[in-house]
Amino acid sequence: NASIKQNDGLKKIQRIGHSYEFDHIKNYVVGEDPRSINWKASSRRNELMVNHYTDEKSQQVYCILNKSRLMNMPFNDLTLLDYSINTALTISNIVLNKSDKAGLISFSDKIGSVVKASRSGHQLQKILSALYNENESKLDPNYELLYSAVRYFIPSRSLILLFTNFESIDSLKRNMNILRRINRFHLLVPIIFENTELDSFINDSKIENDLDIYNKVIA
């Protein structure tokens, strides 16, 4: 339903300061910053060589997976964690193909896998190996611990896709302040799951006896 504007598709980039990444080593030219001299390469070539840097343009995208007991709920022969893993792997592949940096964190009552964001040629294999070894925990998620992990492992502003679920609205409200705190430092996108089977039962099931009434009320 969103209206299409003339500027749709254009992205403005606001830069605070500069971030650079190494590009290549080249011969020193008079007037270049002497701080960029690569002394090791210079000694090998017996002439001054400098490191050349380019503007860092790639974004960091982290998939964070809740692997607590809430994600053990089955749906069409897979658990919610299974769906999260499959989606995170697909998104990571897209991110890397777009020359951005993909990373991964999993958590429950403690921090699980941590793969720092990178766009190296082996990054997708690292993420795949970490996801392959993930298993659901039988305990509840610790969002305070997640906040501390995000602050420690993700120092620069990133896009964070949080695959999670909540048992109730009250559970969501209890953790909302923590999610807002994460969002102060990053762009946080929570991804929660709709229980379509439960919704279907509530809306479509017929009531023929007392047991049906009890089941529908509980649903």
Side-chain angles (χ1 to χ4, degrees):
N1 294 330
S3 60
I4 299 176
K5 300 179 181 179
Q6 186 175 1
N7 290 331
D8 283 357
L10 299 178
K11 185 171 79 171
K12 293 182 179 180
I13 301 176
Q14 181 180 11
R15 291 182 179 168
I16 301 175
H18 291 279
S19 180
Y20 300 99
E21 63 178 345
F22 176 77
D23 187 25
H24 63 277
I25 300 174
K26 66 185 188 70
N27 292 93
Y28 176 78
V29 176
V30 176
E32 289 190 294
D33 189 346
R35 290 176 297 181
S36 62
I37 294 175
N38 186 320
W39 295 107
K40 189 176 291 186
S42 298
S43 64
R44 286 199 303 266
R45 297 286 297 272
N46 201 27
E47 59 181 324
L48 285 178
M49 307 294 293
V50 295
N51 295 328
H52 183 260
Y53 298 89
T54 59
D55 282 338
E56 173 63 84
K57 298 176 182 177
S58 60
Q59 300 182 74
Q60 289 193 156
V61 181
Y62 273 86
C63 290
I64 297 184
L65 276 61
N66 176 355
K67 60 174 187 174
S68 70
R69 64 176 184 83
L70 300 176
M71 304 298 283
N72 197 29
M73 183 184 298
F75 182 77
N76 286 347
D77 299 324
L78 294 175
T79 66
L80 298 186
L81 181 59
D82 291 330
Y83 285 109
S84 300
I85 288 173
N86 293 339
T87 307
L89 186 59
T90 300
I91 290 175
S92 297
N93 188 39
I94 294 171
V95 167
L96 292 170
N97 284 334
K98 293 294 184 180
S99 297
D100 286 326
K101 297 178 180 179
L104 172 76
I105 296 177
S106 66
F107 78 106
S108 56
D109 59 308
K110 56 186 178 181
I111 300 301
S113 301
V114 176
V115 179
K116 298 294 288 292
S118 172
R119 57 175 179 176
S120 69
H122 302 292
Q123 185 69 358
L124 189 61
Q125 185 58 47
K126 289 181 182 178
I127 292 174
L128 177 61
S129 298
L131 291 173
Y132 181 79
N133 293 317
E134 290 294 356
N135 292 301
E136 297 93 344
S137 168
K138 295 182 179 179
L139 300 175
D140 288 333
N142 186 334
Y143 284 92
E144 282 284 1
L145 182 63
L146 174 63
Y147 172 78
S148 299
V150 167
R151 296 291 290 138
Y152 181 79
F153 290 113
I154 314 178
S156 57
R157 186 169 179 82
S158 305
L159 170 62
I160 294 178
L161 305 177
L162 173 60
F163 295 84
T164 189
N165 216 26
F166 297 94
E167 282 186 309
S168 64
I169 296 296
D170 287 338
S171 174
L172 172 60
K173 288 180 178 178
R174 283 197 302 272
N175 294 291
M176 185 61 75
N177 285 337
I178 301 175
L179 299 181
R180 285 182 176 136
R181 281 158 56 194
I182 294 175
N183 194 58
R184 272 191 231 136
F185 302 98
H186 304 281
L187 178 58
L188 176 65
V189 181
I191 301 170
I192 60 176
F193 295 84
E194 179 185 5
N195 192 329
T196 55
E197 290 181 344
L198 193 62
D199 290 342
S200 177
F201 179 82
I202 293 171
N203 296 320
D204 301 333
S205 61
K206 296 180 180 179
I207 297 178
E208 298 178 349
N209 51 51
D210 291 346
L211 181 59
D212 290 340
I213 295 174
Y214 298 145
N215 286 337
K216 197 155 189 175
V217 168
I218 290 171

